[in-house]
Amino acid sequence: MTPSLKISQKIIDKLSNCSHEFLGKLYGIVTKNTFIVLGLQVELVDGSANALINSLPAEIYLCGVLQSGSGIFDEQLIKNSLAEVYVTDNPVFIYYNSTTNKITSSFYINDQLETIKFTTISEQEILSQFLYLRLKANVPLTCELVTNSLKDSFTSLRKNVASGVMTFGFGKNIYLAGTDSDGVVGVTQNVSIGELFETNEPSEGGARKKKVQNYEVDVMGVDMLKTMTKENGFMDREHAPLCVLDKKQCKTMTIMVSIDSLSMVNRQTKIANLYEILVESAVRNLRLLESSILYKLQNEDEKITPPEVYHFYPDDCGHFVTKIYLKGDSEDVLLSVRERLHNELLLSGSRPMFRRANSFAFKTKNPGNEPLINPHLGLRPTDNGGKVALVKGRYAYYHYCQNKMDDNGWGCAYRSLQTLASWFKLQGFTDKEVPTFKDIQKCLVDVGDKPSSFIGSKQWIGSTEVNYILNTLLGVTCKILYVSSGEEMGSKGPELLSHFENHGSPVMIGGGVLAHTILGVDYNSQSGNLRFLILDPHYTGSEDLYMIQNKGWCGWKSVDFWDKTAYYNMCLPQVPKGI
């Protein structure tokens, strides 16, 4: 039976913005006789190719070939490329006509390309069907500091992981052992991973809270343990250990290899069927770790620093990409690596996506007064019927009374500034920490804007001071918009829309005695109506997403939200281009 084909909307969007010709690979996942194409990789002009498969979650495999052109393709070339696909007998071929902007799809069946219709699948649909398993473990590695020894050591590690002696823990005394044992311990084998995830989701006060977000990237942690005891009644033939001593002078390396791998699994998958998937994810991660150390060893004669695993989830991809950076390597040193990734994945070269600061923020229990990240996600859309443009990327929500500081009544602009600064840090544009109130006040004194008595005071600041701070501390320039009254705010739709489309940074607005943060706009050019997505820094409670979204501290507001008699200044941070 010929499977059905679904293509991620993210791929469709990438192709629609692409005008050049290329040949590339397709990566996807097979579930219930359906191919879901999730990602692509462009073959670059230099002819070299990275093993992207090891950077993708387990269960995502090379599933086909993609070509972009002006209407004609070499069928034999495509067939030869499809021969590399081993996960299925019927690989996928997608052709994008860059002239007509049309996409056609085929399955390779019985040595022939057979055209098949496809449907698109949104990121929301994908996330509703699948979740991610994050496997973490530390294993020591000692070897001679030469290429062959390093390769042999990693080969031994991978064989050990794949030998069936590993056990995987899912928390709450739930374990999955190798095929030579009883398998699942702690729950029945018929329990799906989706059911287990829902059971393990954190709750407060003993009761589960209803999710306020429509969809999210669900990740479940898994531990890896090595089985040290044998099953009862099982006897293996033992022999004396064999020791070979080779005396010579050599350099050795001892590091702790931190396995941190991902698997993408259907929520309906039974726990008993996860063992090989988790092993595959660990093996891929070890291959990625090995290649990063080998590259350093072969290209530089210096001390090898520990490899660090980073998981990225670029908005324009809709899937995870895992990269290994060696500790101590600067962002400048890694520029060529990032440039290659952007080109291979058809990503914009205007903003960072693979700097360390861009790594995915896995959900954890919120410690203390740690700011929430992107509390606007999952809000209901407006009914304005206009064009919507929102903040791009991640920011932290700063508001009154965080970190046990009582700034109620005077610190709203400081908090809005901190939200803006957090956006630049989390996007990777800067590695500087979000400035404290003292940092802000000292900076304004240093630039000559305030007297020395300003430090430690409770004096307000406005958009002009926010501009000074961002420019001085982060090197960010800002555009200032002046609005003579709240009623005039309705005329700023085109400018704000353009800002969020081209820059995507949050906007600070001050007027009267209040300051707010604007996260986006919905502008209806026909009616002239404008709605604002407002993040209110005047909130004084705990980091409670349900309270913040449902009590209006983050939500859509009409022009009537602004004081008709107040004079407003908006600070629009301009984003430098670069990755």
Side-chain angles (χ1 to χ4, degrees):
M1 179 179 177
T2 303
S4 59
L5 178 64
K6 295 183 178 182
I7 303 176
S8 167
Q9 184 64 48
K10 298 287 187 180
I11 291 180
I12 304 297
D13 294 341
K14 283 184 184 181
L15 293 177
S16 64
N17 294 320
C18 178
S19 58
H20 64 281
E21 298 184 2
F22 64 84
L23 184 69
K25 299 176 180 178
L26 293 171
Y27 296 91
I29 194 166
V30 181
T31 177
K32 296 180 180 178
N33 202 41
T34 300
F35 266 71
I36 302 178
V37 181
L38 298 170
L40 57 82
Q41 179 188 20
V42 174
E43 292 185 3
L44 302 183
V45 178
D46 61 11
S48 60
N50 285 334
L52 184 65
I53 189 67
N54 292 324
S55 292
L56 299 176
E59 288 296 274
I60 298 179
Y61 289 95
L62 175 65
C63 67
V65 174
L66 166 70
Q67 186 170 11
S68 171
S70 56
I72 301 175
F73 63 88
D74 185 336
E75 186 168 335
Q76 189 57 48
L77 173 65
I78 297 304
K79 289 181 179 180
N80 293 340
S81 299
L82 288 171
E84 299 179 27
V85 179
Y86 62 86
V87 70
T88 174
D89 293 330
N90 305 127
V92 183
F93 173 55
I94 294 176
Y95 185 78
Y96 171 67
N97 190 318
S98 55
T99 302
T100 63
N101 210 25
K102 183 180 179 181
I103 297 174
T104 56
S105 57
S106 308
F107 278 131
Y108 188 45
I109 302 175
N110 297 325
D111 296 327
Q112 298 294 326
L113 290 173
E114 296 187 10
T115 303
I116 184 175
K117 292 184 178 180
F118 70 88
T119 58
T120 58
I121 182 169
S122 68
E123 184 180 18
Q124 293 93 326
E125 292 177 274
I126 294 170
L127 294 178
S128 68
Q129 295 180 35
F130 297 88
L131 59 79
Y132 291 91
L133 301 179
R134 187 187 187 192
L135 173 65
K136 299 187 72 175
N138 291 318
V139 290
L141 182 143
T142 300
C143 66
E144 189 177 346
L145 200 56
V146 293
T147 299
N148 289 338
S149 178
L150 183 65
K151 288 182 177 179
D152 290 344
S153 296
F154 269 100
T155 299
S156 297
L157 275 180
R158 290 194 296 272
K159 287 182 178 179
N160 194 20
V161 169
S163 65
V165 300
M166 298 299 171
T167 297
F168 301 105
F170 296 84
K172 294 186 177 179
N173 297 320
I174 299 173
Y175 299 97
L176 174 62
T179 53
D180 293 333
S181 64
D182 293 331
V184 181
V185 176
V187 292
T188 64
Q189 296 195 15
N190 292 325
V191 172
S192 70
I193 190 61
E195 293 171 325
L196 185 61
F197 175 79
E198 293 297 326
T199 302
N200 286 355
E201 272 282 77
S203 61
E204 295 182 19
R208 288 177 47 79
K209 283 197 169 187
K210 183 179 179 181
K211 288 186 178 180
V212 296
Q213 294 174 310
N214 295 329
Y215 71 95
E216 57 185 4
V217 181
D218 285 333
V219 182
M220 184 173 184
V222 182
D223 297 318
M224 185 170 74
L225 306 92
K226 185 175 181 180
T227 305
M228 300 302 292
T229 57
K230 298 185 176 73
E231 296 181 53
N232 292 332
F234 180 79
M235 295 296 292
D236 194 8
R237 181 173 294 175
E238 303 284 357
H239 60 79
L242 183 65
C243 180
V244 177
L245 182 61
D246 185 9
K247 290 186 176 182
K248 64 178 181 180
Q249 285 188 341
C250 63
K251 291 183 179 180
T252 60
M253 174 181 69
T254 300
I255 60 173
M256 184 63 70
V257 176
S258 297
I259 296 175
D260 187 347
S261 63
L262 295 172
S263 308
M264 184 178 181
V265 296
N266 191 293
R267 294 175 188 265
Q268 303 304 315
T269 304
K270 304 302 181 185
I271 296 176
N273 298 329
L274 290 175
Y275 192 88
E276 295 301 327
I277 297 174
L278 291 168
V279 167
E280 171 66 16
S281 75
V283 168
R284 286 189 187 185
N285 203 237
L286 286 170
R287 291 189 186 279
L288 206 58
L289 287 158
E290 177 186 356
S291 64
S292 66
I293 300 176
L294 274 175
Y295 179 83
K296 192 82 168 181
L297 185 61
Q298 293 168 350
N299 289 274
E300 298 180 29
D301 183 18
E302 62 177 79
K303 182 180 178 181
I304 303 297
T305 53
E308 298 176 322
V309 183
Y310 292 92
H311 301 294
F312 301 95
Y313 194 94
D315 292 338
D316 296 339
C317 279
H319 61 77
F320 277 103
V321 178
T322 300
K323 294 302 294 181
I324 310 294
Y325 297 148
L326 297 189
K327 189 174 183 179
D329 280 355
S330 68
E331 298 295 358
D332 290 339
V333 168
L334 297 170
L335 176 60
S336 61
V337 176
R338 299 197 303 272
E339 287 178 336
R340 184 179 189 88
L341 268 175
H342 279 254
N343 292 331
E344 286 184 324
L345 301 178
L346 282 186
L347 297 173
S348 167
S350 62
R351 62 188 177 96
M353 296 186 191
F354 296 104
R355 296 188 184 184
R356 290 178 174 90
N358 300 128
S359 60
F360 185 80
F362 290 96
K363 184 171 63 174
T364 59
K365 292 182 178 180
N366 218 34
N369 236 16
E370 190 76 14
L372 289 171
I373 303 296
N374 287 25
H376 72 285
L377 292 180
L379 286 172
R380 292 181 180 178
T382 69
D383 56 0
N384 194 44
K387 189 172 184 180
V388 178
L390 302 178
V391 61
K392 297 176 182 177
R394 295 185 295 147
Y395 62 89
Y397 176 29
Y398 285 86
H399 57 79
Y400 278 167
C401 300
Q402 283 175 323
N403 300 322
K404 299 180 180 180
M405 179 176 182
D406 184 8
D407 56 323
N408 193 347
W410 61 276
C412 52
Y414 292 81
R415 298 298 186 179
S416 181
L417 166 58
Q418 288 179 321
T419 295
L420 269 58
S422 75
W423 186 89
F424 281 91
K425 184 176 188 299
L426 292 173
Q427 281 13 270
F429 285 110
T430 180
D431 56 2
K432 295 183 178 179
E433 295 298 325
V434 173
T436 64
F437 279 42
K438 184 177 180 180
D439 294 334
I440 294 169
Q441 293 180 338
K442 184 178 184 302
C443 179
L444 291 173
V445 171
D446 291 343
V447 300
D449 182 67
K450 302 292 183 186
S452 59
S453 59
F454 181 66
I455 298 177
S457 71
K458 296 183 178 181
Q459 294 183 36
W460 298 342
I461 60 172
S463 56
T464 301
E465 287 86 352
V466 170
N467 178 23
Y468 291 157
I469 297 295
L470 291 177
N471 185 258
T472 303
L473 296 184
L474 305 184
V476 174
T477 59
C478 300
K479 178 181 179 181
I480 303 296
L481 286 184
Y482 302 97
V483 185
S484 60
S485 68
E487 289 181 321
E488 192 185 334
M489 283 292 295
S491 67
K492 297 302 178 183
E495 290 178 274
L496 289 171
L497 190 69
S498 175
H499 170 80
F500 284 108
E501 287 180 334
N502 296 314
H503 294 278
S505 59
V507 171
M508 179 270 179
I509 179 171
V513 296
L514 300 176
H516 293 85
T517 306
I518 302 176
L519 300 177
V521 291
D522 180 348
Y523 175 60
N524 191 318
S525 58
Q526 294 183 338
S527 66
N529 290 336
L530 178 64
R531 291 181 69 85
F532 305 83
L533 181 54
I534 300 298
L535 186 66
D536 195 337
H538 302 92
Y539 173 66
T540 59
S542 62
E543 310 311 303
D544 187 326
L545 184 60
Y546 184 86
M547 173 70 72
I548 290 164
Q549 289 189 349
N550 287 274
K551 298 299 181 181
W553 297 105
C554 181
W556 289 96
K557 309 292 182 182
S558 68
V559 174
D560 293 337
F561 175 77
W562 310 108
D563 187 342
K564 293 182 179 180
T565 62
Y567 183 92
Y568 288 95
N569 290 337
M570 282 183 279
C571 183
L572 285 62
Q574 308 295 284
V575 178
K577 293 187 180 295
I579 60 174

